[in-house]
């Protein structure tokens, strides 16, 4: 049963991180489009959904998240500032 819970928690953390990153990329792209065509009034983007908190004693989930963030940074999806912010959020949880 603990293995199942660990798997479910890891999936929830990865899904939450992916959602937050996807929302951030969408907002950044919308901002670029808005700069190109300032025809429509800009509406504020909804705040990103909070990522589920990782269990305190499950260090492997944190390591997995950090590896995924590193890959996203290498791919150019995350800026250095976004990477640092997400990294500190993961380490603080």
């Amino acid at each position: 049963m603990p293995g199942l819970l660990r798997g479910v928690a890891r999936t929830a953390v990865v899904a939450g991180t992916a959602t937050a990153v996807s929302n951030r990329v969408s907002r950044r792209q919308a901002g670029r489009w808005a700069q190109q065509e300032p025809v429509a009034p800009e509406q504020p983007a909804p705040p990103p959904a909070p990522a589920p908190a990782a269990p305190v004693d499950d260090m492997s989930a944190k390591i997995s998240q950090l590896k995924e963030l590193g890959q996203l940074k290498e791919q150019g999806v995350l800026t250095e500032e976004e990477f640092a912010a997400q990294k500190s959020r993961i380490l603080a949880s």
Side-chain angles (χ1 to χ4, degrees):
M1 190 75 161
L4 177 63
L5 291 176
R6 181 178 295 132
V8 170
R10 180 176 294 140
T11 300
V13 168
V14 169
T17 302
T19 300
V21 170
S22 175
N23 288 341
R24 184 171 293 117
V25 170
S26 295
R27 283 194 309 271
R28 188 183 321 156
Q29 187 66 32
R32 288 179 185 162
W33 289 340
Q35 289 175 355
Q36 292 174 358
E37 296 181 26
V39 176
E42 198 174 310
Q43 295 180 349
V56 175
D57 61 333
D58 193 6
M59 198 59 158
S60 65
K62 289 182 181 182
I63 292 170
S64 172
Q65 284 181 306
L66 291 172
K67 286 180 182 178
E68 183 178 341
L69 281 176
Q71 290 173 350
L72 290 172
K73 182 182 166 216
E74 287 176 8
Q75 294 171 357
V77 175
L78 293 176
T79 64
E80 183 66 37
E81 294 80 22
E82 293 168 337
F83 174 78
Q86 291 296 323
K87 179 178 146 186
S88 64
R89 182 189 58 82
I90 291 170
L91 294 175
S93 64

